[in-house]
Amino acid sequence: MSNILLQNWQTAFDTAPFSKIKTEDFLPAFDYFLEKTKKDVQHIAQSIEKPTFYNTIEAMEFVDDELNRISNIIFNISHAENTPEIHEITQKISPILSNFSNEIIQNKALFLRIKAIFEERNNLNLTSEQHTVLENRYKEFVRNGAELSTEKQAELTQIDEKLSTLSITFGNNVLKDTQNFTLWIEDEKDLAGLPDFAIAQSKQRAIAQNEPLKWAFGLDFPSYIPFMTYLDNRDLRKKMFLAYNTKGFQDNENNNVAVVKELVALKHQRAKLLSYDSPAHFTLSERMASSPKIVYDFLDKILSAALPVAKKEIAELTNFAKKLHEETAKNLAENVTENTSKIFTQIEKWDFAYYSEKLKKEKFDIDDELLKPYFEVNKVRDGIFSIAKRLFGLTFKENTTIDKYYPDMQVFEVYFSKNNNKTSKNDKDEYIGILYVDFFARKNKKNGAWMTTFFSQHHRLGGNMRPHISIVCNFPEPTETLPSLLTFNDVTTLFHEFGHALHGLLSQVHYPSVAGTNTKWDFVELPSQFLENWAYQAESLSLFAQHYQTQEIIPISFIQKIKESANFMSGYQTLRQVSFGLLDMHIHDKGFVDAQGNEITDLELFENQILEKLQILPKVPNTVICTAFSHIFQGGYASAYYSYKWAEVLEADAFSVFEEKGIFDENTAKKFKTNILEKGGSENPMKLYQDFRGSTPNVDALLKKSGLL
């Protein structure tokens, strides 16, 4: 059979033919489209025509369409279904792609054409989007070495190739440590505290590993989170915590210490080569927060509000744990180990989730187990679809014939209707795109949740090419006795990723480089965090929060408790986010150095010094964050982790309009869709925000919403 990736797919909506792709198809297809793209780039660069926006900038926008589609398939699958074969492929092509990117940047003839157009930009009668695309392309070349000497360009190429390889090595080491750990329980008494679903899942996992008389727990979120939240046995919680927080830091072949140090050193070397003070200066020069100082000041303002609140929260939690122990020690005597009494003078990190869940239950008479029966995964999905219909006029039609890369995925055709109240699709509905959903955890899937793109929206050949978007999560699989029931945190996660998906699906730009989530990094989280607000509203919860057995709508008293508990431990959780942001910023602004600028070779010592003022729970020896901090060493959040809190400011301020007008106010939703979701990165994000809001955002909106003011 010939290589399907080199053929005309002839599939519905031109979707990827996943089931027909053989692993051995990837490299030949990649090589073919790489060589084709190289020739096409060279044709643009060597053109004898006068350089214009259309024959150079627009031509470059579409020159790598086919290569991008193949690469997107490979890398998206590598995150969601990372078999050894796929891992080997990504290891091969990552440095090749990095080199090719550098070849384009270092193409002198091409750069001179782009530079000539850029210098004449004010005389070209360009649209605002074309101005943005031109400026982005010009800066892409300048910021990646187009004006460097040949020798320095060669050095930059070597750095980028190494960075690409190391990033993949980093991620695979974390995945291997995650996959290689199993905590086995043989005595049923040690399961005390765990809810039935967690016990059933652990038994199912053990049976799959030919151990039917045991229970198996892993470091993937659906297993780890319930274990740390509910298990009474403190020693086992500690064991699980240590395994999770030493990923990439163990004495084995997956150790990431040297990888992290080399990654950081190369990033700083690269920034210096491009005449920037640091990788942070390089990155932030193209962000809404334009310098490290702005980020530090932003995080410090949040920290000053969160720290005293967090200290009070931990003091309350400690007193609660002591009281709980005194009241229940007699009943728990046979399960109490010799060191258990320590917890009542000091909460340890492996105790936080356990006792905070119990305190939340006592204060608000609510917990995850009470809520989960109302959050069956398909009901939540359909509820989000209903919310998208009421807000933005979208409808979702499942298509069971479109190919998938994993059997339990679902695929939906997405349509837009100007009449949100219609109950069915008719000829007036406008096709918007394809949405893939991949909900459940499995062995070869990366932890966490994310939205990704297989095919970006853009205009070409007189048509509006619609996007193919995917949401990937790690929710618990259904068991023989239970459907997949979500925690409330899972629910907000799904709303979050769906917000990203809306950004991709509703894009209405002309050029793929500014479509959907291709916007400034500290703006990209606005739609996702913004949509989370609907998970807390009675009017929206009533659309989907139904008991999976009785079909009863979630009681209004539960909804009130959800809202009342929304800021529970918000000081501590804010402190945690700020600590990640500060660690990221320090690494990429100053490197592994202390306050005096002296190099620190011990990663644990480095983290202790940077985060000392934020440590309100005891530091656990021999654990670090860096060696598994995938956001900054494998994802795109290097020098940008602060953007989660930055976007929270934007979304808190933006949602206040809906609170005032009504959460399904048609005019407000239309303004958000038109000014934010449809525009992608086609204009300056602050302008887009002001076009929607009518004013600049205020950090106090977040502090007030979080209960920190």
Side-chain angles (χ1 to χ4, degrees), residues 29 49 98 116 218 353 383 430 435 454 469 509 520 541 559 631 657 681:
E49 296 180 357
S98 178
E430 174 189 349
L435 176 67
F454 283 102
I469 304 298
V509 300
K520 291 189 185 296
L541 280 167
I559 296 175
H631 277 75
V657 185

Side-chain angles (χ1 to χ4, degrees), residues 59 217 252 305 314 345 355 404 425 480 504 592 609 625 677:
F217 297 87
N252 62 21
I314 295 302
T345 57
Y355 281 105
K404 302 169 286 191
K425 186 177 77 69
E480 292 182 358
F592 292 120
Q609 290 193 9
I625 298 170
L677 297 175

Side-chain angles (χ1 to χ4, degrees), residues 171-457:
N172 282 310
N173 285 344
V174 173
L175 181 61
K176 288 175 187 175
D177 270 355
T178 300
Q179 292 174 337
N180 292 344
F181 176 84
T182 300
L183 190 150
W184 292 97
I185 288 181
E186 301 183 28
D187 189 340
E188 192 169 2
K189 289 189 298 185
D190 288 331
L191 299 170
L194 283 177
D196 290 343
F197 84 90
I199 295 173
Q201 287 173 1
S202 65
K203 175 60 72 174
Q204 193 167 289
R205 184 187 296 244
I207 291 171
Q209 297 182 58
N210 298 315
E211 293 286 357
L213 301 181
K214 299 179 182 180
W215 293 265
F217 297 87
L219 300 181
D220 54 289
F221 286 171
S223 183
Y224 180 78
I225 298 299
F227 192 98
M228 298 303 296
T229 304
Y230 298 109
L231 191 80
D232 291 335
N233 190 314
R234 189 186 185 210
D235 287 339
L236 291 178
R237 291 203 313 270
K238 179 180 179 180
K239 185 175 181 180
M240 184 72 93
F241 174 89
L242 291 174
Y244 189 88
N245 289 277
T246 54
K247 289 184 293 186
F249 196 56
Q250 301 169 31
D251 185 16
N252 62 21
E253 62 182 5
N254 306 322
N255 189 287
N256 266 336
V257 171
V259 176
V260 164
K261 289 180 178 178
E262 190 172 3
L263 276 167
V264 173
L266 286 168
K267 288 181 178 185
H268 279 266
Q269 183 182 342
R270 188 183 194 281
K272 297 290 185 183
L273 192 61
L274 293 166
S275 301
Y276 286 88
D277 291 342
S278 72
H281 286 84
F282 173 82
T283 297
L284 293 170
S285 64
E286 288 297 304
R287 299 290 189 262
M288 295 179 76
S290 56
S291 72
K293 183 181 186 307
I294 291 175
V295 175
Y296 286 129
D297 289 346
F298 170 71
L299 293 176
D300 282 346
K301 181 169 184 177
I302 296 176
L303 175 61
S304 64
L307 186 58
V309 176
K311 288 179 178 178
K312 290 179 182 178
E313 291 170 345
I314 295 302
E316 180 186 20
L317 191 62
T318 302
N319 290 333
F320 169 77
K322 181 178 180 180
K323 174 186 173 184
L324 188 66
H325 174 64
E326 290 171 349
E327 292 176 350
T328 61
K330 184 176 180 180
N331 295 331
L332 297 177
E334 64 184 45
N335 294 324
V336 175
T337 57
E338 292 181 5
N339 68 349
T340 300
S341 60
K342 291 181 181 179
I343 188 163
F344 307 111
T345 57
Q346 180 63 64
I347 294 283
E348 301 288 351
K349 289 187 176 180
W350 50 84
D351 301 316
F352 178 81
Y354 178 77
Y355 281 105
S356 62
E357 183 68 12
K358 291 185 179 300
L359 177 58
K360 183 179 178 182
K361 171 70 172 174
E362 179 174 283
K363 291 184 73 168
F364 304 102
D365 193 25
I366 197 167
D367 61 16
D368 279 339
E369 290 311 295
L370 184 66
L371 295 175
K372 280 172 63 176
Y374 296 93
F375 297 133
E376 191 272 325
V377 66
N378 292 317
K379 287 282 190 183
V380 178
R381 177 206 64 207
D382 290 344
I384 292 177
F385 288 172
S386 296
I387 290 167
K389 185 175 193 291
R390 291 188 63 177
L391 285 172
F392 308 119
L394 300 183
T395 57
F396 298 79
K397 175 186 176 184
E398 185 172 8
N399 186 321
T400 57
T401 64
I402 289 179
D403 239 335
K404 302 169 286 191
Y405 59 78
Y406 199 78
D408 63 16
M409 292 174 63
Q410 295 172 303
V411 189
F412 297 87
E413 302 168 26
V414 187
Y415 294 89
F416 169 70
S417 169
K418 292 182 180 179
N419 181 0
N420 290 7
N421 296 318
K422 288 194 311 183
T423 58
S424 62
K425 186 177 77 69
N426 62 31
D427 293 339
K428 294 183 179 180
D429 286 335
E430 174 189 349
Y431 168 66
I432 290 296
I434 295 296
L435 176 67
Y436 298 88
V437 293
D438 179 2
F439 280 152
F440 303 120
R442 53 181 175 268
K443 181 179 179 181
N444 291 321
K445 184 189 281 189
K446 187 178 77 170
N447 255 337
W450 60 94
M451 164 268 182
T452 190
T453 303
F454 283 102
F455 181 67
S456 293
Q457 178 270 331

Side-chain angles (χ1 to χ4, degrees), residues 627-680:
T627 57
F629 201 170
S630 297
H631 277 75
I632 68 171
F633 291 123
Q634 190 189 19
Y637 281 86
S639 307
Y641 199 89
Y642 76 92
S643 63
Y644 280 108
K645 301 309 291 184
W646 186 276
E648 282 185 37
V649 172
L650 299 178
E651 66 84 6
D653 190 56
F655 186 66
S656 66
V657 185
F658 283 87
E659 289 182 304
E660 177 186 346
K661 304 286 187 181
I663 66 166
F664 289 113
D665 181 70
E666 184 176 346
N667 290 332
T668 307
K670 184 176 181 180
K671 283 182 67 177
F672 192 82
K673 175 175 175 281
T674 302
N675 293 300
I676 305 292
L677 297 175
E678 292 183 354
K679 294 294 182 65

Side-chain angles (χ1 to χ4, degrees), residues 604-621:
E604 186 176 1
L605 176 62
F606 166 76
E607 290 187 10
N608 288 345
Q609 290 193 9
I610 299 304
L611 303 179
E612 182 178 7
K613 64 180 179 180
L614 288 80
Q615 295 283 4
I616 58 174
L617 291 178
K619 173 70 176 72
V620 181

